[in-house]
Amino acid sequence: MSEAHTALITRFYEAFKRLDAEAMAACYTEDVVFSDPAFGELRGRDAGDMWRMLTTRAKDFSLTFDNVRADERSGGAHWVATYLFSQTGNVVVNDIQARFVFRDGKICEHHDHFDLWRWSRQALGFKGLLLGWTPLVRNAVRAQALKGLKAFQASR
């Protein structure tokens, strides 16, 4: 099963490289739990919609991934996304460690870990450098991300 799960993770990131959110979402169970420092925890359709929103809005996007590994129950990968942050026009290089849990040949949990302060310094510039480590900015980033997701969902 580890080969099948390794192939599943690879399929997910190959779809991401092509900005194919439907193929990415197809790798998830219907009740998937996703989490990362920017969006917090998303469940089910919200997780797929997050990828739909991000791939639709992606500018100057590239992705690399490596260290894909999996066993019968869980797996992981390292990936780096480079893109233009639309709110500021700044280039972001986000270095991420992903952890997965599998059920019935799909991803039922996906947890991305990255340094939000590093991200905020790149995305927000000086403001992120000075305040990106504070709960105030972390909460504002999460609120803005979720607001964007809800607006995207409402427009569909």
Side-chain angles (χ1 to χ4, degrees), residues 24-39:
M24 294 169 72
C27 295
Y28 284 163
T29 60
E30 287 186 22
D31 63 346
V32 67
V33 175
F34 171 87
S35 68
D36 82 356
F39 284 89

Side-chain angles (χ1 to χ4, degrees), residues 9 13 63-69 76-80 96-97:
I9 294 170
Y13 287 113
L63 180 126
T64 61
F65 67 96
D66 58 29
N67 200 24
V68 175
R69 63 214 175 277
H78 168 252
W79 59 284
V80 178
I96 301 161
Q97 291 293 329

Side-chain angles (χ1 to χ4, degrees), residues 49 52-53 56-57 147-156:
D49 282 348
R52 289 176 185 95
M53 176 184 76
T56 300
R57 296 179 178 175
K147 180 181 174 184
L149 177 58
K150 295 303 176 202
F152 174 80
Q153 290 171 319
S155 72
R156 297 184 75 217

